[in-house]
Amino acid sequence: IEVVVEASTEVRGAVIYATFTVAVVFLPVLGLSGVAGRLFAPLGLAYLLAILSSLVVALTLTPALCYALLAGRDEEAAEPRLYDWLKLRYARMLAVVEEHWRSVVAMLAALVLVTLVTLPFIHAEFLPELREGHFILHMRAAPGTSMPEALRIGERVSQVLLEVPNVRSVAQRAGRAARGVDVLGPHYSEFEIELVPGLDAEAQEEAQTRVRDALKHFAGLDFTTETFLTERIQETLSGYTAPIILNVFGPDLDVLDDLARQASQLLNTVPGAVGVTLQSPPTLPQLTVRLRQDQLARWGFAPLDVLEAVQTAYQGAEVAQIYEANTVSSMTVVLADGARRSPTQIGALPLRNAEGLMVPLHRLADIRQSEGRYLILHSGGQRLQTVTAQVNGHAVREVVAEARQRLAAGIKFPPGYYFSFSGEAEAQAQAQRDLLVYSGVSAVVICILVFLALRSARGLLLVMSNLPFALIGGVLLVHATGGRLSLGAMVGFVTLFGITLRNSIMLISHYQHLVQREGRSWNLETAVLGATERLLPILMTALVTGLGLLPLALQSGEPGNEVEGPMAIVILGGLFTSTLLNLLVLPTLALRFGKFGADRS
């Protein structure tokens, strides 16, 4: 019992402070707002509850089990041969590092510098490409396109899509219900593209590329293609199913139309921008019926009666309700389809005045074809035109930055007119700002906790010096796996820094115990002894974490693993370098710059 109590007391403080340090590291993840917070806050909360539960188990159940299961064992029992072999080799490696410590530190400093220099070359993105086994294709024709024409075009599009390898089925949905949430005309269609089941991420990406290439031959049509979940996230962020949203604000609609057309043309020239679409086309074909007051007075018609008759004939009017058991159906009267297909038939619409005289509409009104707006967009009380774009083969942030530069240089905006970007790029920037702000607060709290754990400013600096070691492996593995840094990978760095801090605290606190409690002199022998005694706990932490994350890392990018895969890759890469350098370099740095007692040599 004395051995169990003494051992538990030695590591109790370090374990408690290290656990709370890891918990504080994860606070920035809990502070994320918007969609990013909804995605990763549950992960952070689960992680916090897990490590706090493990702390309770480590302080209570583990010592009790050690006393119950290990009592009576021979104190001189030999350690496993593998552990003896590891300690011997490890001690020799520490001696080599100590002998050439200046060169080792200089090489590591250069490696950290190179890592920092390569950071700007990593393509940052809000979310990786989500692979769901199907796509949603949006098709926009010219406003005023009839439903039969939309279906005819859709049949041709479906035939072309079915010829794409790995496309299983295509279904078209044209127009919208009159009382639906998103009311659009028959010129707008959606296609549900189902892929062959079981395709990996590479095959799905190739299928999406082939779909986009196949649609380039349809002139006069705008197409955008995304997966369902990606569109829902984008729609939550900006209201549109596209990652890039360009809003042009101003008071005059004609000037807005001209600026939006110029902006869409410039956006089409930006590398990576595809499917550029003007959300509110300026004009729509329409028929104008302008009543002539002199003719109305001559024939005895009231203006309101004429307008109601025209509306009833071509739009319909509810005149009764039919009750059948529990079902209530509305009865609507409207002209037969054959009488309202041609615009020329409108002038022949017969109208009856109060005296029963029949007069055609063309005698009472001027009827002509014209163009008018069917949609005027507003935001915050301001008029705007919106241009959306998809991204292919480039990071959203890079495309937005290039587009911003070209718009500022290529279009002269009159006073009172300006543009702004929203969508995925803005959400990514907001998430990065949240992480930076909360990480700054967490860094202050972490420094306080580490100082309280070690009671030494030198110990604090030694622990913090191991964080760049973790950064090296994470960044290098990101480059090796495609050079894309998603929000999940950023969360991986947060997790990685917490694990690294815990291992460093355990090593430095053990040095303090050897010098201050056991009375050893602080020299090379003590440094090697402390490192070898902490070799197994640090290796086991790294191995257990690495083996747990290995399946996620190996399947990174595959369907269902697009978010957590990049996070696992970052943790694995950083865990390897931080553990290696924690065991080899940190003892040397502690020997040279640490001060754990009165004796130091």
Side-chain angles (χ1 to χ4, degrees):
I1 189 64
E2 293 178 359
V3 174
V4 172
V5 171
E6 182 179 354
S8 301
T9 304
E10 177 191 348
V11 299
R12 181 180 57 194
V15 168
I16 291 175
Y17 282 110
T19 302
F20 279 106
T21 299
V22 175
V24 172
V25 167
F26 241 89
L27 289 181
V29 179
L30 296 178
L32 288 174
S33 59
V35 175
R38 295 291 184 180
L39 287 174
F40 292 102
L43 175 65
L45 182 61
Y47 191 89
L48 287 178
L49 293 176
I51 62 172
L52 292 177
S53 300
S54 69
L55 174 64
V56 174
V57 171
L59 296 179
T60 57
L61 181 61
T62 302
L65 289 177
C66 288
Y67 176 67
L69 301 178
L70 301 181
R73 293 188 60 182
D74 186 3
E75 296 183 4
E76 302 298 329
E79 292 179 334
R81 293 183 179 180
L82 177 60
Y83 189 36
D84 288 336
W85 182 86
L86 283 176
K87 288 201 300 182
L88 180 61
R89 299 298 186 277
Y90 178 49
R92 292 176 180 176
M93 293 175 66
L94 285 177
V96 174
V97 172
E98 167 59 22
E99 184 178 355
H100 305 90
W101 73 274
R102 294 182 185 273
S103 301
V104 173
V105 172
M107 182 177 62
L108 286 177
L111 190 57
V112 171
L113 182 61
V114 170
T115 302
L116 296 176
V117 170
T118 61
L119 281 178
F121 297 97
I122 295 179
H123 301 292
E125 56 188 11
F126 182 67
L127 287 176
E129 292 288 340
L130 302 178
R131 303 301 176 192
E132 305 173 49
H134 71 273
F135 305 116
I136 297 179
L137 171 66
H138 301 269
M139 181 185 75
R140 289 177 182 268
T145 302
S146 65
M147 181 65 74
E149 179 66 13
L151 294 176
R152 187 188 68 83
I153 297 174
E155 184 176 357
R156 290 179 53 201
V157 171
S158 299
Q159 291 174 355
V160 171
L161 293 178
L162 287 172
E163 295 176 359
V164 175
N166 294 323
V167 172
R168 183 183 183 185
S169 64
V170 178
Q172 180 187 10
R173 182 169 57 249
R176 281 290 189 273
R179 297 184 180 181
V181 178
D182 298 323
V183 181
L184 295 168
H187 68 284
Y188 173 82
S189 295
E190 287 183 2
F191 295 82
E192 302 283 347
I193 304 175
E194 192 74 22
L195 300 181
V196 175
L199 295 179
D200 58 15
E202 185 177 354
Q204 292 190 33
E205 184 175 0
E206 182 181 357
Q208 186 173 11
T209 302
R210 288 179 176 269
V211 166
R212 288 173 173 170
D213 292 339
L215 299 174
K216 291 180 179 179
H217 305 290
F218 291 90
L221 300 173
D222 294 326
F223 295 98
T224 58
T225 309
E226 281 293 354
T227 59
F228 177 80
L229 184 56
T230 300
E231 285 200 349
R232 299 288 73 80
I233 294 175
Q234 291 169 350
E235 195 170 19
T236 302
L237 294 174
S238 62
Y240 293 96
T241 57
I244 298 179
I245 313 297
L246 169 62
N247 294 317
V248 182
F249 295 89
D252 189 271
L253 291 176
D254 293 330
V255 177
L256 276 178
D257 292 341
D258 182 59
L259 292 174
R261 279 193 294 265
Q262 295 181 51
S264 62
Q265 291 172 0
L266 274 178
L267 199 55
N268 262 318
T269 64
V270 176
V274 296
V276 179
T277 304
L278 191 63
Q279 288 297 319
S280 177
T283 58
L284 175 73
Q286 65 182 17
L287 282 175
T288 301
V289 179
R290 189 176 299 277
L291 300 179
R292 292 185 289 181
Q293 295 296 331
D294 56 337
Q295 295 299 317
L296 292 176
R298 175 184 176 184
W299 298 101
F301 283 92
L304 181 60
D305 293 339
V306 175
L307 294 178
E308 286 182 347
V310 173
Q311 180 180 10
T312 301
Y314 292 97
Q315 185 175 344
E318 184 178 323
V319 296
Q321 289 182 326
I322 301 174
Y323 293 85
E324 296 179 359
N326 295 328
T327 303
V328 180
S329 304
S330 298
M331 178 182 292
T332 302
V333 295
V334 67
L335 277 181
D337 290 341
R340 53 190 175 97
R341 284 184 177 179
S342 173
T344 59
Q345 294 176 302
I346 296 178
L349 178 70
L351 302 173
R352 187 190 304 272
N353 63 8
E355 299 177 357
L357 182 64
M358 303 294 293
V359 180
L361 179 62
H362 69 81
R363 290 181 177 268
L364 304 175
D366 293 324
I367 304 171
R368 61 185 178 87
Q369 284 188 325
S370 62
E371 292 183 343
R373 302 178 184 278
Y374 79 98
L375 180 63
I376 300 176
L377 301 176
H378 293 81
S379 178
Q382 289 183 294
R383 290 174 173 176
L384 77 152
Q385 271 281 24
T386 300
V387 181
T388 63
Q390 305 290 325
V391 177
N392 185 23
H394 290 71
V396 175
R397 186 181 65 175
E398 296 175 355
V399 176
V400 171
E402 179 66 21
R404 195 185 300 275
Q405 293 178 0
R406 296 195 181 192
L407 287 173
I411 301 178
K412 184 178 181 181
F413 286 83
Y417 297 84
Y418 63 95
F419 71 90
S420 67
F421 282 93
S422 62
E424 187 175 318
E426 182 63 27
Q428 176 186 339
Q430 181 61 45
Q432 290 177 344
R433 287 193 293 268
D434 290 343
L435 280 176
L436 287 176
V437 171
Y438 289 113
S439 295
V441 177
S442 297
V444 175
V445 179
I446 288 170
C447 290
I448 295 174
L449 288 175
V450 174
F451 181 80
L452 292 176
L454 302 177
R455 304 289 181 176
S456 168
R458 289 174 178 262
L460 171 63
L461 293 176
L462 288 172
V463 169
M464 292 300 177
S465 67
N466 203 37
L467 293 182
F469 301 160
L471 184 66
I472 293 173
V475 172
L476 291 179
L477 206 53
V478 167
H479 279 294
T481 55
R484 292 189 176 273
L485 186 66
S486 65
L487 191 58
M490 296 179 190
V491 175
F493 276 113
V494 172
T495 309
L496 175 62
F497 289 156
I499 298 173
T500 302
L501 286 172
R502 180 174 58 190
N503 288 340
S504 301
I505 291 174
M506 296 300 295
L507 181 58
I508 299 300
S509 65
H510 188 56
Y511 283 152
Q512 290 181 332
H513 178 81
L514 292 176
V515 175
Q516 298 172 4
R517 299 295 178 86
E518 297 186 10
R520 295 179 179 272
S521 299
W522 180 235
N523 50 29
L524 177 59
E525 181 182 354
T526 304
V528 173
L529 175 64
T532 54
E533 289 180 345
R534 283 291 177 261
L535 172 63
L536 190 58
I538 292 177
L539 282 181
M540 288 303 298
T541 300
L543 284 175
V544 170
T545 306
L547 291 175
L549 293 172
L550 189 59
L552 288 177
L554 293 177
Q555 295 294 319
S556 180
E558 293 300 317
N561 198 29
E562 300 93 334
V563 176
E564 293 181 345
M567 180 180 64
I569 286 176
V570 167
I571 297 176
L572 275 180
L575 192 63
F576 176 77
T577 55
S578 67
T579 302
L580 184 65
L581 301 177
N582 188 303
L583 291 172
L584 294 178
V585 180
L586 189 57
T588 297
L589 294 177
L591 179 63
R592 296 292 175 178
F593 304 105
K595 188 176 182 181
F596 303 109
D599 293 324
R600 184 184 176 193
S601 58

